[in-house]
Amino acid sequence: MRTARLLVRHELRLFVSLVLWVVRRTHGTASGGQVFGYARGQGAMMFGFGFVCLVETVTMSVLLRDWPTVHAVFLFLDVYGIVFVVALHASSVVRPHVLDPDGGSLRIRRYVHVDLCIPLERIASVRRELRMTHERADGELDVEVGSQTTVTLELTEPVTHLTFFGRRREVRVVRFHADDADGLVRALGRARV
């Protein structure tokens, strides 16, 4: 039952993101912090995935036209799949990373799956580092976009990351992607001083 609740909450958050995208609003950026996007790194891939879903929808409609009930079910699922892909991309646009020097935190996000708040005083070092491969390791969190990360944070003390299903992980190294990685590293350096 808990898993079903988590999945329903995930879907609702995706559709809220879609609405925010349509009305050109962002989530969690009202505090006045500096916003850093990460959606550009995956835009082409998401467009391609959406296009493939659209082609599948049309193809299945043609193949199943003689079976109206099966056609209706597959049409619903295919259209839902397209909306899901668009909502996933929308969530990455409306939920950017937020650097809040006044609040003393850096908020790292990805879609509606990851929302990690790191106090600035816990950041030992920050560097621009392009990585294309990531091996899972204890104490490390890789928030990849398009299979790459561009910024690496090393922390003085671990922070708690909640996984999609609510498991707690203590992390001391966080790697993530930002479209303007150089700008984020500079802004983070100024905010830590």
Side-chain angles (χ1 to χ4, degrees), residues 98-118:
V98 180
L99 173 60
D100 185 7
D102 296 333
S105 67
L106 172 65
R107 192 171 181 183
I108 298 171
R109 305 196 284 184
R110 178 162 188 239
Y111 304 129
V112 295
H113 307 117
V114 176
D115 194 346
L116 179 66
C117 190
I118 300 174

Side-chain angles (χ1 to χ4, degrees), residues 2-97:
R2 182 175 176 271
T3 302
R5 266 193 322 233
L6 286 170
L7 292 174
V8 168
R9 187 182 87 181
H10 176 263
E11 299 293 306
L12 290 174
R13 292 169 87 192
L14 277 178
F15 290 116
V16 166
S17 296
L18 187 58
V19 171
L20 288 172
W21 191 45
V22 168
V23 298
R24 297 182 184 264
R25 300 272 188 256
T26 56
H27 176 270
T29 60
S31 64
Q34 195 172 354
V35 172
F36 294 92
Y38 55 89
R40 209 174 349 157
Q42 69 185 11
M45 179 185 69
M46 295 302 279
F47 176 76
F49 192 54
F51 181 74
V52 167
C53 290
L54 181 64
V55 169
E56 183 214 11
T57 301
V58 172
T59 304
M60 292 304 287
S61 291
V62 170
L63 292 174
L64 297 173
R65 69 181 173 269
D66 295 332
W67 297 285
T69 304
V70 177
H71 176 265
V73 169
F74 272 87
L75 183 63
F76 172 78
L77 292 173
D78 285 340
V79 169
Y80 184 80
I82 292 170
V83 172
F84 183 86
V85 169
V86 173
L88 199 59
H89 180 66
S91 71
S92 68
V93 172
V94 302
R95 295 171 181 270
H97 306 307

Side-chain angles (χ1 to χ4, degrees), residues 36 97 99 106 126 151 176 178 180-189:
F36 294 92
H97 306 307
L99 173 60
L106 172 65
V126 58
V151 178
F176 62 99
D180 180 17
D182 293 324
L184 183 120
V185 168
R186 282 192 303 272
L188 200 50

Side-chain angles (χ1 to χ4, degrees), residues 38-42 45 97 110 128-134 142-152 175-179 181:
Y38 55 89
R40 209 174 349 157
Q42 69 185 11
M45 179 185 69
H97 306 307
R110 178 162 188 239
R128 168 93 159 81
E129 178 182 38
L130 176 63
R131 293 186 76 158
M132 303 297 263
T133 58
H134 302 87
D142 297 316
V143 186
E144 307 163 15
V145 172
S147 297
Q148 69 178 3
T149 57
T150 54
V151 178
T152 300
R175 294 182 191 91
F176 62 99
H177 176 76
D179 292 335

